[in-house]
Amino acid sequence: MNLLYIAISSSIAYFSIKMLYKRSNYIYISTFVACLAGLISYFSIYSDTLNSWVMSLHLYVTAMSITLLIIVTYEVFLLEWRVNKLKSGEFSNDIPFSIEKNYKTNFKLSGIGIIFLSLALISGFYITDIVSTEIQLKALYTSISWLIYCSILIGTKYFNLKTKYAVRGLIFTLMFLLIAYMGNSYIFSTIA
């Protein structure tokens, strides 16, 4: 559950900076602050268990992959809502920059998120020396999440995947990732 606390504190930092900073590069600055807040939260929660750098890297990149997935899902959902608003004829001045630039920025953030998720998978396989049912389920759900995330990125980049399907896929990716890290522990704590 500590990973969820780190992801939530990073997401809160992202949304706080987003509300305060109203320039066209708010996504980059807010994401940087979110990653920095996640690092600070990580060191405050796991300060006594920093003996293995691979374990530390795994916990941090896992929390940041959850955070970036939350950010990308929110931004793509918000972008789709704004596009639908513009299509219906409601023009508003709350869009800080062009929709095309926002799509490209979200695609770059998705790429950073898939890098974090890939690092989480690789470091998770590296630190796991005991193969138990809990680890197998966690690896399965994380791998499914990674496959959905990659297919969304590839489909958006090369096959012109519609945004509504990308939003649904991002929600499924987030759901599988949360099941892998939070639901898995809950299931095994109620069984034992």
Side-chain angles (χ1 to χ4, degrees):
M1 287 303 268
N2 289 339
L3 291 178
L4 185 60
Y5 297 138
I6 295 170
I8 288 173
S9 66
S10 298
S11 300
I12 289 172
Y14 173 81
F15 291 116
S16 299
I17 296 299
K18 182 182 175 188
M19 287 176 23
L20 297 174
Y21 190 75
K22 300 286 185 184
R23 302 241 170 108
S24 63
N25 59 349
Y26 78 92
I27 292 179
Y28 297 119
I29 292 174
S30 299
T31 304
F32 176 75
V33 170
C35 290
L36 190 62
L39 191 62
I40 292 169
S41 297
Y42 171 76
F43 282 121
S44 66
I45 292 174
Y46 291 109
S47 62
D48 55 342
T49 59
L50 296 177
N51 51 5
S52 171
W53 70 272
V54 178
M55 184 66 163
S56 298
L57 175 74
H58 174 70
L59 293 173
Y60 177 71
V61 296
T62 301
M64 289 303 99
S65 65
I66 293 170
T67 301
L68 282 171
L69 194 53
I70 290 170
I71 290 170
V72 168
T73 303
Y74 169 76
E75 287 296 332
V76 169
F77 180 75
L78 184 65
L79 183 62
E80 184 64 20
W81 177 73
R82 287 177 176 165
V83 167
N84 288 336
K85 210 170 152 181
L86 286 174
K87 283 182 181 177
S88 69
E90 297 178 33
F91 296 100
S92 64
N93 295 329
D94 63 342
I95 301 175
F97 49 91
S98 71
I99 292 174
E100 293 83 16
K101 188 175 180 180
N102 203 343
Y103 274 122
K104 289 179 183 177
T105 304
N106 284 327
F107 191 74
K108 288 177 187 175
L109 284 179
S110 297
I112 294 170
I114 199 72
I115 289 170
F116 274 119
L117 191 57
S118 300
L119 285 172
L121 267 172
I122 292 167
S123 62
F125 287 131
Y126 182 76
I127 63 173
T128 304
D129 54 351
I130 301 171
V131 179
S132 65
T133 308
E134 182 178 357
I135 298 298
Q136 289 174 349
L137 284 175
K138 190 177 283 192
L140 175 71
Y141 284 121
T142 306
S143 299
I144 290 171
S145 177
W146 185 83
L147 286 172
I148 293 171
Y149 208 3
C150 283
S151 64
I152 290 169
L153 287 177
I154 291 169
T156 304
K157 180 73 173 173
Y158 298 110
F159 299 110
N160 201 17
L161 181 69
K162 291 185 178 183
T163 309
K164 68 179 180 178
Y165 298 122
V167 170
R168 290 175 188 161
L170 286 170
I171 290 170
F172 281 122
T173 303
L174 183 61
M175 184 178 66
F176 277 113
L177 198 59
L178 290 177
I179 288 171
Y181 290 101
M182 284 31 142
N184 199 14
S185 300
Y186 177 74
I187 289 169
F188 282 101
S189 68
T190 56
I191 290 174

